[in-house]
Amino acid sequence: MVISPDEFKKRWGEPLVEVNENLISEVPLSEKDRSFLLNAGLPEAAAPSLSFNLFNKDLKRIYEIWGGPSDYSDEEKTN
């Protein structure tokens, strides 16, 4: 059973980061997942070191953050 965005917010118990629809418009998500993110949001952080507190500032691809674009094929960069 999948919980609703409202139930997720209630259970999380801490403020959630709102997701900007424009930033995820090209992210390959199902409509169900996209709707959940837009309605529920994301936690500011999750253990051990996952953070979404700057999520709406600028959504970057992993190779833009961690460098090494030559380590990835063009196909991997677009997926």
Side-chain angles (χ1 to χ4, degrees):
M1 180 177 132
V2 177
I3 64 174
S4 71
D6 288 334
E7 185 65 23
F8 176 76
K9 290 191 274 190
K10 191 184 318 180
R11 288 186 187 187
W12 190 259
E14 294 179 20
L16 295 163
V17 176
E18 287 186 26
V19 176
N20 181 323
E21 187 171 4
N22 293 329
L23 289 177
I24 63 168
S25 64
E26 295 185 31
V27 176
L29 295 169
S30 71
E31 282 307 310
K32 184 177 176 182
D33 292 340
R34 185 178 313 282
S35 177
F36 187 92
L37 279 174
L38 293 172
N39 290 296
L42 292 165
E44 280 194 7
S49 61
L50 186 59
S51 173
F52 297 105
N53 59 341
L54 297 176
F55 183 78
N56 280 324
K57 300 284 185 209
D58 187 18
L59 184 61
K60 295 183 180 188
R61 297 194 182 273
I62 191 76
Y63 64 87
E64 292 175 312
I65 297 170
W66 297 105
S70 61
D71 295 334
Y72 299 90
S73 69
D74 288 340
E75 182 179 335
E76 290 171 314
K77 292 177 187 176
T78 59
N79 290 329

